[in-house]
Amino acid sequence: MSEQHIKVALTDAPTEAERNAARKRLDALWGRGTEFLGTEYAILGGAMSWVSERNLVSAISNAGGFGVIACGAMEPARLAEEIKATRALTDRPFGVNLITMHPQLDELVQVCLDAGVGHIVLAGGIPPGAAIKAIKEGGAKVIAFSPALVLAKRLIKMGVDALVIEGAEAGGHIGPVSLTVLAQEILPHIQSVPVFVAGGLARGDALLSYLELGASGGQLGTLFAAAEESIAHEKFKKAFVRAAARDAVTSVQLDERFPVIPVRALGNEGGRQFVSHQADVIRRFQAGELTREAAQLEIEHFWAGALRRAVIDGDVEQGSVMAGQSVGMVKSVQPVAQIIKDLVEQATVALVRQQRRMDADG
Ligand SMILES: Cc1cc2nc3c(=O)[nH]c(=O)nc-3n(C[C@H](O)[C@H](O)[C@H](O)COP(=O)(O)O)c2cc1C
């Protein structure tokens, strides 16, 4: 085949037969993930506090993905209500994300089990063995986050059924390592459970590359936060559409004696004030006006309620506009079904191109 011929062949629209073959291959690549989740596509909507409620979660599940309710600080009765309301909007599977340090974790687990939730995601630290046991005995599956290979192995020994590895590109609370590195560190060594990748994903062809490295699916947050069905304030979504990748920055820590939990969010006035707030607290600590504990608490309290202010009230200047670096690829507010359709199409086209390249090479 001539060079010119290959060029044309690689850019031509896929034929029906090529598309079907590529979709079959995609179904095989993420088959373990779709089977585990009970979905058409192995695409999870990462839980996002205030954002991942009945509307967004049901929209993701109805579009063939896997929506996850963010329990956050909800009380058990409130969570029960949210699960019920979500179920009224979809008959497809969805999960619930619980924060391990929630003081009523055991009750929240019971609420999920009583409601027949099939998958519980435990986030925010190493999950307690008792919670894992209770979930499994209750007939549901446990998904946990692993920021390193040793921890992944430990979590599997503890009984978790699937892992999410989330790179530092992600929005919200993050670890220090990028998905590119985590994937290489973890994916080749974990075969016993499905592993879902997260952080910085905005295109199906990129997700495909992780499936080819051994991932069973992907989790996205930022793209879905800006979706039409997301209840996030119009100003929150507008900020996403306007932002470039480099606008999604990590929180600044001024003094290592006063650790700041790393969070990725759009840089704004609140972020700048957080730096001067820390400087002021440190000055008062050094002057003997504050104990170390009181100083640490003052720093931690700065962001209390800030995500809600941004998501619900639309205060994108003072609030915490949590967003991943993939925010630069959010070009408009789109329905969830379109976002998922595009992801699947991009993966499919990439597989068609791959096949054509192989055919051209003989
Ligand atoms: C606004 C926002 C809020 C989030 N809140 C949570 C949360 O409450 N619990 C959690 O486990 N992850 C949370 N995340 C992380 C997402 O579940 C998901 O893993 C992440 O967004 C994936 O990376 P991406 O943003 O690059 O797509 C949040 C992310 C965003 C953007």
Side-chain angles (χ1 to χ4, degrees):
M1 200 180 273
S2 74
E3 228 173 78
Q4 181 59 26
H5 192 156
I6 293 169
K7 216 170 162 188
V8 171
L10 286 174
T11 51
D12 268 356
T15 64
E16 201 54 32
E18 283 179 318
R19 190 179 288 281
N20 289 342
R23 277 300 305 277
K24 257 198 184 152
R25 174 124 178 78
L26 182 59
D27 287 346
L29 275 167
W30 65 18
R32 196 174 184 199
T34 52
E35 195 182 317
F36 175 78
L37 299 168
T39 54
E40 193 175 352
Y41 312 121
I43 297 173
L44 291 107
M48 297 176 277
S49 292
W50 298 106
V51 183
S52 299
E53 48 69 81
R54 61 192 79 174
N55 293 290
L56 183 60
V57 173
S58 61
I60 294 170
S61 291
N62 285 335
F66 189 81
V68 180
I69 295 175
C71 174
M74 281 181 205
E75 301 273 315
R78 174 74 192 82
L79 176 64
E81 186 190 316
E82 201 55 42
I83 294 170
K84 198 171 160 210
T86 306
R87 185 140 299 135
L89 298 172
T90 184
D91 53 9
R92 305 224 181 154
F94 61 87
V96 174
N97 175 302
L98 303 176
I99 311 281
T100 53
M101 54 263 207
H102 194 298
Q104 290 172 290
L105 180 63
D106 296 344
E107 289 97 312
L108 294 169
V109 165
Q110 201 51 51
V111 162
C112 294
L113 296 175
D114 290 346
V117 171
H119 302 71
I120 298 178
V121 185
L122 295 175
I126 300 176
I132 296 176
K133 192 163 170 270
I135 295 170
K136 292 179 69 109
E137 282 176 5
K141 297 200 159 49
V142 186
I143 307 174
F145 287 83
S146 174
L149 181 60
V150 274
L151 201 60
K153 289 184 174 167
R154 191 168 142 203
L155 288 165
I156 293 167
K157 272 205 188 116
M158 287 172 77
V160 307
D161 300 292
L163 293 170
V164 177
I165 57 173
E166 187 188 62
E169 304 92 327
H173 294 86
I174 51 167
V177 184
S178 69
L179 179 58
T180 330
V181 171
L182 280 182
Q184 294 171 77
E185 188 188 63
I186 296 177
L187 291 177
H189 306 288
I190 302 292
Q191 268 85 45
S192 56
V193 301
V195 182
F196 298 93
V197 290
L201 296 172
R203 289 189 52 97
D205 37 18
L207 171 57
L208 172 68
S209 68
Y210 288 106
L211 298 179
E212 287 174 332
L213 286 173
S216 293
Q219 167 164 304
L220 288 81
T222 297
L223 247 63
F224 290 130
E228 214 168 272
E229 293 88 340
S230 150
I231 57 152
H233 197 282
E234 194 190 331
K235 284 187 185 164
F236 187 92
K237 295 184 193 176
K238 268 202 183 131
F240 270 43
V241 172
R242 272 197 219 112
R246 64 163 173 240
D247 298 327
V249 293
T250 44
S251 41
V252 175
Q253 172 183 306
L254 278 194
D255 187 324
E256 61 184 17
R257 287 173 300 177
F258 298 105
V260 167
I261 299 168
V263 168
R264 188 177 296 286
L266 296 185
N268 64 2
E269 186 52 31
R272 286 185 285 278
Q273 282 174 8
F274 182 50
V275 176
S276 39
H277 175 72
Q278 286 180 75
D280 181 52
V281 169
I282 292 161
R283 185 192 53 72
R284 283 156 59 213
F285 166 70
Q286 278 163 343
E289 293 167 28
L290 286 176
T291 63
R292 184 184 280 240
E293 292 71 26
Q296 181 67 41
L297 273 181
E298 279 216 17
I299 289 173
E300 283 169 16
H301 281 168
F302 180 87
W303 288 115
L307 179 61
R308 186 189 188 284
R309 277 207 301 283
V311 173
I312 306 295
D313 305 339
D315 182 358
V316 293
E317 266 315 310
Q318 307 287 338
S320 175
V321 189
M322 291 183 186
Q325 292 180 331
S326 56
V327 75
M329 286 177 269
V330 175
K331 300 293 181 206
S332 62
V333 174
Q334 289 186 309
V336 163
Q338 187 62 47
I339 294 172
I340 292 185
K341 195 168 164 232
D342 288 349
L343 290 167
V344 175
E345 175 66 8
Q346 287 152 358
T348 307
V349 169
L351 281 166
V352 168
R353 292 218 177 106
Q354 238 178 47
Q355 188 58 49
R356 286 183 186 175
R357 253 180 254 128
M358 286 193 290
D359 291 348
D361 290 345

